[in-house]
Structure formats: structure tokens, C-alpha cells
Amino acid sequence: MRSYLLLLLIGLLLFASCRPARESRSANRDRTELLMEEDPYKLDFAALKEQKIYSFEERAAILKDGNRGLLTAMSGGLISLATNAVKKMIKKDRSRYTAEYITGQKDLVFYDQLSTQHPFDPVGMKFNGFTLLRLLPQQQEQEDTAMIAAFELDDTNLYEILNNNTFRLKLNSLELNIPKAKLEKKGPRTLNMDIEITFSTSYVNEQGMLFDDVTLGKFYLFLRNAPVDKDSPGYADYYRRLKGKQLEGRSFIVPRSFGSYIKPDGTVGRSFSQGTYSIAVHVKEASRNSFVMKMLMNNSDKLLETAGSKLKKIMSPSPQGSRN
């Protein structure tokens, strides 16, 4: 019975792979850009309230007096920053209706000035977000915007940046006009899209140890059944609900490399750099899949593991069947 179902599934897959699909316009000639947003004055750490770090004895005395609110007020809120550990990336090459592209920026600067304090001094942090663009060529050297997504630094909790040396991102806006993935000829014109954002850096610490291409953090945005036609019902509402959405994941702020600087008296002093870093954005698209395609994408690992030998037997001619 299991062999029969497997053969049936393979037959359906071969049939589905022969179906014509409409390619996105000029999909092979598109280009992507990553536009950085920087503002060294946006984050006002000086405006934060004092954070008192209590000793064991001080905490015991406060709790004995029943004044728990004092601990919360002086600590920055004692807020838990837990988020769901979700990862639903579209698997590569599991469906004919899949496309992907990678873009990024490197040798960026995270802070607007040197620091004499420590490698994670956030003063002068100018990273504020970035905009992802996918552009398609048009006539007369013009370009059409296939997709534009604006991501910004989530500055709702500066204590997280100051205390934990980490930051989060949120989606400011997203507009999807022309998908890169092939769309099915029939059925709703919708798209699944997964965006993975990776921050990395290279630096040297105060002990002279080199760290090359270190991943600082990753962010994920998952879109399911996203409409691609502006005139379709629910298009505007779908993308309006995405505005302000916090991305899955988090990243450390960029560590500053140890170095030197010239002091006002002309002598050389110890300092920490402006923090160089890189961003890589990996986008995967898949059109809405048929029932067979969904089964294969969700169960392909198990199918291959269970039926590897049977697939070989089916695809390879048997010695008895050879007429050479």
C-alpha cells in the first residue's frame, strides 16, 4: 500500500512539473538594492532614567518594606523580551514555483564616532534601518519597482540596547507588485515569501584576537498567501496589517574594534572603532502550491529517507529490462 501511494505521488509530481506557468516579467533581468537609513541622533540614551543596581542586602530591605515598585521603576521595567522561536523558511528547489535572490551591503559603519569607553558603547549608534528594493527594467532606461520593503530599528525599548547590547527590527512598510517566482496559471494570484536578514562583522578585541565574519544575529519575516494584484480584494488590508510588525529574531549591536586615537595634547590614547558591519538579505518566493506540491514540500525529507532505494529502482532500468 505504501509503495502504491509513493508511486501515485511521484506520478502526480511529474504531471504537475509539466504544467505551464507564467513567469514574472523580466525576472532574469531584475536587480536589487539595499538603501541604508542612518541617524546618529535618533536614540537618546541620555534621557533614560537612572538604573539602580541593588545589592542582595538592599533588595532584601526593599522587599521587607513591601516596596516592590521601587525595584521596577529603577531597573528599566523588568520586562521580559521573550518571543516565539519560529522558523518556517521555504525550502530551496522543493517546487518548480520557487525563486530566490540575495542582496546586501558591506563595510558599513554602525556608530558616528569613536569611543573611549568599551567595545559595546552605544553612544552615536546611527543605524536606523534599511530599504530593500527589487527593480525591473522598462523601456527608455526606466525601472519598475517590483517589490519594496522598509525595515527600521525598533526603538521602543532602549534599555534592551543599553543593558543587553541587542536590538530588534520591525517592518515599516511592504509593497509587492511583481513577484520573481513563477505563478500558477490558475488559482489565486498569491505568494509565499520568506526574508532572512543576517548581520555580521569582523573586529579585533583588546587582547589582539581577530574575529573574522562573525554572525551577530538573524531576523526573519514570513509572509503567507500575500496578494500580488493591487486591485484584488484584501490587498490593501493585508499589507496595512504588516506595518509595525516586529520581525522574528534579534542581533547584537556591532562590537567596536580596539585601536588608538590622537588626544588633544598630541599623544596617542586607547579607543574603540566606529564598528564596521555587513548586512545580507536572502529572499525566497513560492507561489501558492497545489495539494500535491504542499505534500511534497512538507514531507520531502521523510519521503526521500523512506523510499530512497525504491526511487532508484524506479528511475534506473533493471538488468532484465535492458536490451543493449
Side-chain angles (χ1 to χ4, degrees), residues 20-48:
R22 183 171 62 183
E23 283 190 83
S24 59
R25 178 161 49 89
S26 304
N28 295 326
R29 293 181 292 144
D30 62 353
R31 69 182 184 89
T32 57
E33 285 191 9
L34 206 63
L35 309 177
M36 301 305 301
E37 299 290 338
E38 298 180 334
D39 183 359
Y41 303 105
K42 181 177 180 179
L43 305 183
D44 188 6
F45 292 102
L48 294 177

Side-chain angles (χ1 to χ4, degrees), residues 56-76:
F56 178 81
E57 291 79 9
E58 289 173 326
R59 287 181 62 89
I62 291 173
L63 293 174
K64 185 177 180 181
D65 294 337
N67 194 3
R68 294 175 178 267
L70 180 61
L71 291 175
T72 302
M74 298 298 289
S75 66

Side-chain angles (χ1 to χ4, degrees), residues 2-199:
R2 182 178 298 177
S3 299
Y4 173 76
L5 290 175
L6 179 62
L7 288 172
L8 177 62
L9 193 57
I10 292 173
L12 289 172
L13 172 60
L14 293 175
F15 173 77
S17 65
C18 296
R19 293 172 56 197
R22 183 171 62 183
E23 283 190 83
S24 59
R25 178 161 49 89
S26 304
N28 295 326
R29 293 181 292 144
D30 62 353
R31 69 182 184 89
T32 57
E33 285 191 9
L34 206 63
L35 309 177
M36 301 305 301
E37 299 290 338
E38 298 180 334
D39 183 359
Y41 303 105
K42 181 177 180 179
L43 305 183
D44 188 6
F45 292 102
L48 294 177
K49 296 180 180 179
E50 175 192 357
Q51 289 181 284
K52 169 69 175 178
I53 301 178
Y54 293 94
S55 66
F56 178 81
E57 291 79 9
E58 289 173 326
R59 287 181 62 89
I62 291 173
L63 293 174
K64 185 177 180 181
D65 294 337
N67 194 3
R68 294 175 178 267
L70 180 61
L71 291 175
T72 302
M74 298 298 289
S75 66
L78 300 179
I79 300 173
S80 175
L81 300 170
T83 58
N84 292 327
V86 179
K87 193 172 183 181
K88 302 176 182 176
M89 300 300 288
I90 298 172
K91 294 183 177 180
K92 181 181 178 182
D93 296 331
R94 300 301 169 100
S95 167
R96 184 183 177 193
Y97 305 105
T98 299
E100 61 180 312
Y101 51 96
I102 300 175
T103 188
Q105 289 272 19
K106 61 181 181 178
D107 298 327
L108 298 165
V109 176
F110 204 69
Y111 311 95
D112 74 334
Q113 63 179 32
L114 301 174
S115 172
T116 58
Q117 299 301 312
H118 55 80
F120 288 101
D121 180 8
V123 175
M125 176 176 162
K126 66 176 184 175
F127 168 75
N128 192 35
F130 59 91
T131 299
L132 172 65
L133 281 171
R134 188 168 73 86
L135 303 169
L136 293 175
Q138 298 294 308
Q139 296 179 352
Q140 299 179 351
E141 299 183 354
Q142 295 182 350
E143 290 181 306
D144 194 9
T145 302
M147 193 269 283
I148 179 170
F151 302 91
E152 62 179 11
L153 176 72
D154 189 346
D155 60 353
T156 55
N157 188 357
L158 295 186
Y159 287 104
E160 181 178 14
I161 299 175
L162 181 65
N163 300 155
N164 303 333
N165 300 319
T166 59
F167 68 92
R168 301 182 188 271
L169 292 179
K170 61 183 178 180
L171 181 67
N172 183 30
S173 62
L174 188 147
E175 183 177 331
L176 178 60
N177 299 316
I178 306 171
K180 185 178 180 70
K182 298 176 182 178
L183 294 177
E184 294 184 17
K185 189 174 182 180
K186 296 180 180 180
R189 288 174 53 80
T190 60
L191 193 74
N192 294 339
M193 177 185 290
D194 292 345
I195 301 178
E196 179 186 69
I197 303 164
T198 304
F199 284 77

Side-chain angles (χ1 to χ4, degrees), residues 185-247:
K185 189 174 182 180
K186 296 180 180 180
R189 288 174 53 80
T190 60
L191 193 74
N192 294 339
M193 177 185 290
D194 292 345
I195 301 178
E196 179 186 69
I197 303 164
T198 304
F199 284 77
S200 59
T201 186
S202 298
Y203 69 99
V204 57
N205 66 12
E206 201 164 352
Q207 289 70 42
M209 297 179 64
L210 299 173
F211 299 87
D212 186 40
D213 196 24
V214 177
T215 298
L216 295 171
K218 290 179 178 289
F219 297 92
Y220 300 95
L221 176 65
F222 309 113
L223 303 180
R224 293 295 179 265
N225 298 320
V228 297
D229 294 327
K230 286 188 175 182
D231 296 332
S232 63
Y235 179 94
D237 187 57
Y238 181 94
Y239 292 101
R240 184 174 63 250
R241 291 198 306 267
L242 292 175
K243 185 176 179 60
K245 177 181 175 61
Q246 189 182 76
L247 274 61

